[in-house]
């Protein structure tokens, strides 16, 4: 009986021991994230349109294409200093630009294949209103239902991360859906 009484007392006391009055701190201006507030919180780049993949029907996708532009009104971005990292479930690789940054890329490379609304003389700077269509060619092809991440980092500014999944059946032209 005494042992039961001791256990009952311990159980009651254990439930009442934690009487902390510590409350989480109130948010301050440094901890509140205001959408579009701090330019360092968002990328200067954004995707326009679909992310597509060129594939072999019933097989795999080799090339992935997307169109980049500047988000809102930002300073231009030097595309020669752009870093593109591709990752899937098995590998992560940093893709290199093709010579001159323009052209169809071989495996392990990326290239600018089209420029829309080009401002001034042809160059490798992405300015406001311009759109650069980029094709990447990872070293390993994309298989059906595979998740991928493409991280695009300008020299100055936050990176833009694209997350997509391959369709269940690969066609010649494919739209990679958000994951």
């Amino acid at each position: 009986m005494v042992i039961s009484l001791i256990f009952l007392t311990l159980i009651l006391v254990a439930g009442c021991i934690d009487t902390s009055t510590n409350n989480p701190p109130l948010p301050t201006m440094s901890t509140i994230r205001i959408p579009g507030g701090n330019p360092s919180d968002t990328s200067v780049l954004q995707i326009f349109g679909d992310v597509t993949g060129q594939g072999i029907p019933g097989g795999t996708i080799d090339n992935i294409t997307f169109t980049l532009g500047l988000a809102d009104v930002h300073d231009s971005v030097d595309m020669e200093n752009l870093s593109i990292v591709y990752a899937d479930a098995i590998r992560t690789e940093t893709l290199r630009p093709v010579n001159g940054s323009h052209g169809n890329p071989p495996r392990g490379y990326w290239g600018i294949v089209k420029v829309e609304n080009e401002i001034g003389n042809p160059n490798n700077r992405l300015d406001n209103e311009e759109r650069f269509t980029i094709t990447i060619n990872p070293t390993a092809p994309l298989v059906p239902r595979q998740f991928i991440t493409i991280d695009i980092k300008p020299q100055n500014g936050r990176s833009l991360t694209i997350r997509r999944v391959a369709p269940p059946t690969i066609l010649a032209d494919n739209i990679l859906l958000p994951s």
Side-chain angles (χ1 to χ4, degrees):
M1 177 79 170
V2 173
I3 294 177
S4 302
L5 200 52
I6 292 172
F7 279 124
L8 182 60
T9 304
L10 287 174
I11 291 172
L12 290 174
V13 171
C16 298
I17 286 179
D18 188 20
T19 57
S20 173
T21 59
N22 293 340
N23 292 324
L26 294 174
T28 63
M29 286 309 289
S30 63
T31 60
I32 296 174
R33 185 164 190 278
I34 301 170
N38 185 352
S40 66
D41 289 343
T42 59
S43 176
V44 297
L45 300 172
Q46 70 180 19
I47 294 292
F48 289 87
D50 293 323
V51 176
T52 60
Q54 183 181 21
I56 301 166
T60 59
I61 294 174
D62 294 322
N63 294 323
I64 300 167
T65 302
F66 50 88
T67 301
L68 280 180
L70 294 177
D72 300 324
V73 177
H74 287 281
D75 292 335
S76 60
V77 171
D78 186 355
M79 299 300 279
E80 291 177 357
N81 294 321
L82 199 67
S83 171
I84 299 180
V85 177
Y86 170 87
D88 59 32
I90 300 170
R91 73 197 54 77
T92 299
E93 64 179 309
T94 300
L95 302 172
R96 297 183 307 256
V98 297
N99 190 19
S101 299
H102 288 266
N104 288 319
R107 291 203 179 276
Y109 286 81
W110 65 270
I112 300 167
V113 294
K114 181 179 167 187
V115 178
E116 297 175 26
N117 305 324
E118 191 161 23
I119 297 173
N121 295 328
N123 58 39
N124 290 334
R125 295 196 66 78
L126 177 61
D127 292 308
N128 288 306
E129 305 300 322
E130 287 184 328
R131 305 285 182 265
F132 280 38
T133 301
I134 295 177
T135 296
I136 67 170
N137 190 348
T139 55
L142 188 60
V143 298
R145 293 189 176 100
Q146 185 173 6
F147 291 93
I148 62 164
T149 300
I150 303 167
D151 190 66
I152 306 161
K153 172 96 172 81
Q155 184 175 16
N156 298 318
R158 292 183 55 98
S159 63
L160 170 67
T161 302
I162 304 168
R163 290 183 179 87
R164 295 292 189 267
V165 62
T169 302
I170 304 295
L171 305 172
D173 295 312
N174 303 276
I175 294 178
L176 305 180
L177 300 174
S179 59

